[in-house]
Amino acid sequence: MVTQDDNKFNKNIILIIAAVIIFIFLPNFISGYYIRIFTAIFMYATISQCINLMSGYMGYLPFGHVMFFGIGAYMSAILMKLGLPVFIAIPMACLSAIIVSIILGFPVLRLRGHYFAIATIGMNGAIMTVVQNATEITGGARGTTFPIIMASPDVVYRYFYLAMLSLMVITSLVMHVVVNSKFGYGIRSIKANEDAANSMGINTTFTKVTTWAIAALFTSIAGGIYGYWMSFIAPDEVFDLMFITNSIIMMLIGGAGTILGPIFGAFIVETVSEVAWSGFMQYHLAALGIATIVIVFFVPRGVIGTITDKIRNRRIELSKKAEVTNG
Amino acid sequence: MADNDIILDVRSISKHFGALKAVDKVSFQARKGEIVGLIGPNGAGKTTITNLVTGELRKTEGEVYFKGINVSRMQPFQIARIGLTRTYQVVKPLQGMTVEENILVGSLFGRSDRQNDLNHAKKTAHEIMELVGLDKKKEFKVSDVTLPDLKRMEFARVLAMDPEVIFLDEVMAGLNPSEVEESMELVKNIRTEKQLTIVYIEHIMKAVMGISDRIIVLHHGQKICEGSPTEVCDNPAVIEAYLGKKYAKEVIKS
Amino acid sequence: MGLQMFVNALLLGGLYALMGIGFSLQWGISGIINLSYGAMVLLGSYLSLIIFNMFHIDPFISMLFTGALLFLLGAFIYRFALQPLLKGGIVFTLIVTFAIRLIVENIILLVWSADYRTIRVSYAGSNFQFLGAFFPLTKFLTFLVAGVIIYLTYQFMTNTKIGKGIQAVALDKEGAMAVGVDDQKMYLINFALGTALGGVTGTLWATIYSFSPHVMDVIIGRVFIIAILGGLGNIWGAAAGGILLAFVETSGAIFVGSHWQEAIGLVIMVLVLLLRPHGLIGKKFFG
């Protein structure tokens, strides 16, 4: 049994490493258009991974989570305008997002279910309004710019492609380690039954706030890179709830509560909506809406979730059979 | 019995919901290794006492000392970490997880002053699943197992937390007579093996009488009697309030 | 606060109150955060626009029709898109209602484009003076009609068999089912009623303000605040919440600037959530 599991584990690792290597060299073979699409996919997979940690694993749907994306983007822009290099600006932006998540987390994570989701929407709206009105610092409602990178667009796009790819890979690895650790069992117990989790010795408040801070960390880095990539950001763009609704759809399609789910979901949704955009742009929104409803109805556990369910059920069937033949 | 044998000391705790006195100045103690039965008619305040002691409800007044530590103001997880825990009358499985994972969470968390890395916790969980006879169901999701198995799982989960005192809140409700018999044996064996102190809340009289060293009777939120099973059965107040004459006679006959 | 401002806020508040009640009932009683609510309100506006342009029927009359149509649409959505997903929890119902919003938005864009539209009834410009304050006639009429509809909704909820059934499942689902109330039927009627109230609001809205698909997000933002302020599923609570929000916005625009009015509403909402989760005057209905 142990060796079999080990073999499977090794095979999976080899597959993942192979996939990463392919994606590292992929930009040499595709056009700038596709490089941009892939960069967006990696970014969405990262955000979806964070939503998945909060919702898929812990049961708290952070609908206004895009606030950390916006904070990451704006803090990076402000710090870089002050002359800081990007490798200092983004980590500092990320730090500020973590601080905000901890300060907001203690009161707001006391709310459960609907109330938590709505309170985060309210907070996002409030932060967006502050950014819109603090014109001297943020540039106000009309947005702000990043310093321009002195290089050819081709090189720049590849640079952001690789940045988002590494962000996605690192995020996914960290999530994998987190959910399979002792702390991760705490997270999952909170979704399963928060009161029981508390009475079993899990510090639920600490676990929830820390988890939100982890989710804020990666979302804010994605925001920082996104802003630098776009070189121009506006409040109603980087605080747009569409980022979160898209990420939720990706999580559901890929499979909530699985690590590969958000990645697959991001690939599927971005590809579908790209086709919808280019193919029949006028019906693009409706197509997305109908696709979402169809998926929620027919593959509620998502692609990866459905597959792992099948595997588990087969294992149980096999163990039942073995029991029968043994007895 | 020496005073330092007392592991749990409940001092005059009360819980009032508005005008209703769900628990009214109840005091009791439990000694190391003892099984204390907590009985009383529906609404007597048994589960409320459990919630008060484990920190899930805020006490209106009174204090609880566990191993000499005042735990009255602590949160449930803090109390669980020093070794006092409970099962739920209405089972609270961790939904969406397997039986194995449920018990694993117990052994990962629970008491904090022990080795609890993932591998060690898995080993503990497997030992306990074997002990309570759940090893064949470990891969099942909790939604796929029967109520007796869920109750067994909750008991296993609590054991995996390596506690010193357990409140067992009606672990036998809904079981058939042979399962009750089995469950009683299990509780007794585990008590001796693990040196546990158990506060045992149960409706099934036969089980309480057969298992407890000492019984506390509650009625309308107040303690009306305390003593050995036979003493309690002979107490006229208890017979009046709770047991009913028919059962009292049966006990005396046997 | 001047008298005129008070009147303006009150007249706006009547419309907000009606708008908030539909959303609050759906959320508080049927347990669904309806992200397509803004789309339903706008459907009410656009439907009355068609009727006005084609048959020259006044929106104050056609609202009966738009209300009935949206009632049916709401019932349909609940029965076929939401009821099967209730077990999946909040993520599913949120995403499906959002998907419905996308579909409706797409339809509106295709049929009417993103331009702003208006319905100009013949008496649109007229107003009257009372106690020294101006009352624009259409605004006054919407306030009056909204008040009547709110009152009728309250009467329906308290004095009819179905309304009592809805209240019963909202208060104690198991208990209501035990005495023979069909809970899913009650949730369906309640959800459909909420949709109808949204549609009627849209029709009334169209007589005063211009509208476009962009208004959807504005509406959703407002109804969240109103429902939370009033306490979920509470008719008078939502009505009070609507009027309160109108006053906060009107005075906020004057004292701290209209840029901040959105943030003020949201901050109040979050504070109410944290400090008084059952609303400012509401009592607890669920969860």
Side-chain angles (χ1 to χ4, degrees), chain C residues 233-248:
Chain C
N234 184 328
I235 291 176
W236 293 122
I243 290 170
L244 185 66
L245 179 67
F247 274 95
V248 168

Side-chain angles (χ1 to χ4, degrees), chain C residues 14 56 74 84 126 180 205 226 260 264 268:
Chain C
H56 307 290
S126 45
W205 181 290
I226 297 167
W260 291 96
I264 296 167
I268 292 178

Side-chain angles (χ1 to χ4, degrees), chain A residues 10-25:
Chain A
N10 286 335
K11 218 162 75 187
N12 285 344
I13 285 186
I14 291 168
L15 275 175
I16 288 169
I17 291 175
V20 171
I21 290 173
I22 290 173
F23 276 117
I24 288 175
F25 292 105

Side-chain angles (χ1 to χ4, degrees), chain A residues 113-130:
Chain A
H114 292 173
Y115 292 100
F116 172 75
I118 300 323
T120 60
I121 293 182
M123 287 171 169
N124 179 59
I127 291 176
M128 178 170 90
T129 317
V130 171

Side-chain angles (χ1 to χ4, degrees), chain A residues 41-276:
Chain A
I41 290 175
F42 301 148
M43 181 189 79
Y44 266 119
T46 305
I47 305 172
S48 188
Q49 203 69 274
C50 296
I51 302 291
N52 187 33
L53 183 69
M54 285 296 291
S55 169
Y57 284 101
M58 199 168 72
Y60 277 76
L61 183 68
F63 220 96
H65 197 72
V66 69
M67 68 178 107
F68 300 116
F69 188 80
I71 290 173
Y74 261 97
M75 283 305 286
S76 306
I78 293 164
L79 293 171
M80 285 177 76
K81 277 191 159 177
L82 291 175
L84 289 175
V86 64
F87 294 107
I88 296 176
I90 291 184
M92 280 178 73
C94 168
L95 191 69
S96 55
I98 291 173
I99 292 169
V100 172
S101 76
I102 291 171
I103 293 172
L104 296 183
F106 276 104
V108 84
L109 279 162
R110 289 203 335 248
L111 303 168
R112 292 188 185 180
H114 292 173
Y115 292 100
F116 172 75
I118 300 323
T120 60
I121 293 182
M123 287 171 169
N124 179 59
I127 291 176
M128 178 170 90
T129 317
V130 171
V131 172
Q132 274 171 343
N133 289 289
T135 316
E136 301 82 30
I137 307 166
T138 62
R142 276 186 294 169
T144 189
T145 53
F146 280 73
I148 291 165
I149 308 167
M150 295 300 171
S152 79
D154 235 31
V155 176
V156 171
Y157 282 144
R158 268 185 216 191
Y159 172 75
F160 283 111
Y161 173 98
L162 289 176
M164 284 293 190
L165 175 64
S166 9
L167 178 64
M168 178 187 81
V169 171
I170 292 169
T171 308
S172 305
L173 284 177
V174 170
M175 296 296 175
H176 178 78
V177 171
V178 166
V179 298
N180 287 299
S181 68
K182 177 180 170 177
F183 185 75
Y185 276 98
I187 295 176
R188 289 156 67 189
S189 305
I190 288 174
K191 179 183 187 180
N193 192 324
E194 195 166 333
D195 293 328
N198 199 328
S199 84
M200 287 164 80
I202 296 169
N203 185 346
T204 47
T205 310
F206 171 80
T207 307
K208 286 188 288 186
V209 173
T210 311
T211 307
W212 206 22
I214 295 171
L217 189 165
F218 291 109
T219 310
S220 64
I221 296 178
I225 299 177
Y226 173 83
Y228 199 21
W229 177 34
M230 292 288 119
S231 82
F232 169 79
I233 50 170
D236 54 357
E237 183 203 350
V238 290
F239 289 98
D240 190 351
L241 290 177
M242 263 308 266
F243 278 112
I244 299 304
T245 46
N246 281 347
S247 303
I248 295 172
I249 293 170
M250 288 164 184
M251 171 188 83
L252 290 178
I253 289 174
T258 64
I259 291 294
L260 289 176
I263 300 173
F264 274 75
F267 270 90
I268 296 169
V269 172
E270 275 298 292
T271 315
V272 167
S273 64
E274 213 43 56
V275 171

Side-chain angles (χ1 to χ4, degrees), chain B residues 121-190:
Chain B
K122 270 186 186 151
K123 226 174 77 193
T124 317
H126 287 158
E127 280 165 16
I128 285 166
M129 277 191 283
E130 232 161 90
L131 189 68
V132 302
L134 274 174
D135 40 335
K136 280 176 188 152
K137 303 238 163 94
K138 64 178 184 183
E139 292 225 7
F140 282 51
K141 289 238 157 141
V142 289
S143 48
D144 298 336
V145 297
T146 56
L147 182 68
D149 278 338
L150 279 182
K151 296 233 160 187
R152 214 189 288 246
M153 185 193 81
E154 253 203 11
F155 186 45
R157 203 169 66 182
V158 162
L159 287 180
M161 291 166 67
D162 190 23
E164 287 172 69
V165 174
I166 308 182
F167 277 68
L168 291 180
D169 196 352
E170 302 207 8
V171 278
M172 292 178 190
L175 303 189
N176 68 32
S178 75
E179 285 163 349
V180 167
E181 204 74 41
E182 216 178 286
S183 168
M184 272 172 71
E185 278 311 304
L186 188 68
V187 171
K188 275 192 205 165
N189 289 341
I190 283 169

